[in-house]
Amino acid sequence: MCEHTFVRWDNLTIEAQEGTALPGYREPAIVRHFDAPEALDTRFYEVRAKSALNRVPERSRMPFRWTINPYRGCSHACTYCFARPTHTYLDFNAGRDFEKEIVVKVNVPEVLRVEMARPSWKGEHVAMGTNTDPYQWVEGRYKLMRGIWEVFRDAANPCSVLTKSPLLLRDLDLMKEIAAVTDISANLSVPTIDEKAWRASEPHTPHPRARLEAVAELNRAGIPTGILVAPLMPGINDDPRQVEEILRVAAEAGATGVSGIALHLRGEVRGIFMEWLASYRPDLVERYEELYARSAYAPRVEQERLGALVRRARARSAGAFGRDPWRDHAAREPLRTAAQPQQRASRPPEAEQTKLF
């Protein structure tokens, strides 16, 4: 089936090279180039994955235990992306290679169907978009997510997705079919609506306004969808008026939850981000060097400042509506953080705002 799918793309492919080996894969990867402006100078490595489900370590603070990542590397090219260091496991670098050398697990839907049919699988919640974006540009060519959604539907398995792309609306029909048999939710990441900050820090992502429009359409269709204002970067996207505007539009879109996360700079991401910062906002370099001098995470006082920023913006948006739209949703269903399974919240929404900081 996959081979027949690839034939349909021959008119988009200008080069296919056999025999490129990648660490961790027994079979050579097929390298493809697509004749499209968005894919210039980008190589796509078609590999066959041995497994689709990835178990999250128990020590992790994530609210889910299983993930699926159909792609490795991401053409969004977000300067702050925490997933960049994972590319070094493939002997690629975390900078340009992460953005231009994309690994495509062409058999993920088939492998997932086998794994979910095993008696040992207990139907646990599975989160997508926790590493690289499953709806980055190349998903429009390979359409792996449609096959993945079909498996979740047929297995009636709870699931969620986090993305920066309205492309997920393409699969709304399947998401609605899943919602009829089990729990499903979505989150759109919207760090900023400032044009300059967006184009500089997320150069190849869809427009933030389009993401907020997708939130509205998903909620109208009955798919519980919230937003993630992340990462919050001091001096770049922490203008209270901008954050308040994001929350106001999100409330109008019926967003079921809102969360914020402070920027963290682990591993190679630190050097990549600081190099970008030196060219984009050299006036902030000294401040960031102080903030992240001792840890990959911002100091507690800075985390608390950013947490309060989101709470105040939420309060102002509630005042504009004459009610708290986030609490309205919490009365019907729990407020969820990004890619979190549906479960009864044990604390008020305000606590959910700060627990990620």
Side-chain angles (χ1 to χ4, degrees), residues 125-126 152 156-160 178-185 224 341-343:
H125 179 97
V126 179
F152 282 123
N157 202 98
C159 54
S160 61
I178 295 170
V181 295
T182 190
D183 292 337
I184 180 174
S185 61
Q342 297 189 31
Q343 58 187 17

Side-chain angles (χ1 to χ4, degrees), residues 23 33 54 66 70 128 176-177 192-193 199 201 256 283-284 287 296 320 342:
H33 290 248
N54 307 302
W66 297 93
M128 293 166 287
K176 291 167 67 175
E177 291 175 7
T192 182
I193 54 174
R199 292 183 184 278
S201 62
T256 56
D283 57 306
L284 291 176
R287 180 180 178 185
Q342 297 189 31

Side-chain angles (χ1 to χ4, degrees), residues 54-273:
N54 307 302
R55 187 175 183 86
V56 178
E58 292 292 337
R59 65 180 180 277
S60 170
R61 294 182 295 175
M62 294 298 178
F64 45 81
R65 295 273 70 85
W66 297 93
T67 67
I68 295 174
N69 296 295
Y71 305 102
R72 297 187 66 165
C74 187
S75 57
H76 284 343
C78 301
T79 58
Y80 51 74
C81 182
F82 68 89
R84 284 179 175 274
T86 63
H87 230 46
T88 61
Y89 304 146
L90 300 174
D91 289 343
F92 291 133
N93 66 55
R96 180 191 178 279
D97 289 354
F98 180 80
E99 306 165 8
K100 295 292 186 178
E101 311 287 344
I102 310 298
V103 176
V104 182
K105 304 175 186 178
V106 295
N107 63 332
V108 162
E110 292 83 0
V111 173
L112 178 63
R113 188 172 294 278
V114 171
E115 291 179 334
M116 286 197 166
R118 292 171 180 166
S120 58
W121 176 247
K122 304 304 181 182
E124 296 182 60
H125 179 97
V126 179
M128 293 166 287
T130 61
N131 193 32
T132 55
D133 199 321
Y135 282 103
Q136 59 181 283
W137 178 85
V138 71
E139 168 61 17
R141 296 296 185 267
Y142 285 88
K143 299 180 174 62
L144 296 179
M145 284 300 296
R146 286 198 66 81
I148 291 171
W149 289 127
E150 288 171 353
V151 177
F152 282 123
R153 177 200 61 195
D154 297 344
N157 202 98
C159 54
S160 61
V161 63
L162 170 65
T163 181
K164 291 184 178 179
S165 176
L167 178 59
L168 85 166
L169 293 175
R170 179 202 65 190
D171 299 334
L172 184 54
D173 58 328
L174 290 169
M175 297 175 75
K176 291 167 67 175
E177 291 175 7
I178 295 170
V181 295
T182 190
D183 292 337
I184 180 174
S185 61
N187 277 271
L188 274 292
S189 174
V190 187
T192 182
I193 54 174
D194 177 76
E195 290 280 333
K196 183 178 179 181
W198 160 57
R199 292 183 184 278
S201 62
E202 302 179 345
H204 302 305
T205 58
H207 197 284
R209 295 283 183 179
R211 300 177 220 174
L212 290 166
E213 291 171 4
V215 172
E217 185 166 347
L218 286 161
N219 280 304
R220 284 194 296 267
I223 307 300
T225 305
I227 64 164
L228 182 64
V229 186
L232 282 165
M233 299 172 282
I236 297 175
N237 68 335
D238 63 343
D239 183 330
R241 294 168 298 179
Q242 291 283 338
V243 177
E244 182 179 340
E245 175 67 5
I246 292 174
L247 267 62
R248 184 190 66 78
V249 177
E252 291 178 347
T256 56
V258 57
S259 297
I261 302 177
L263 173 72
H264 57 273
L265 301 173
R266 288 182 292 190
E268 292 87 346
V269 181
R270 181 188 180 94
I272 294 168
F273 180 85

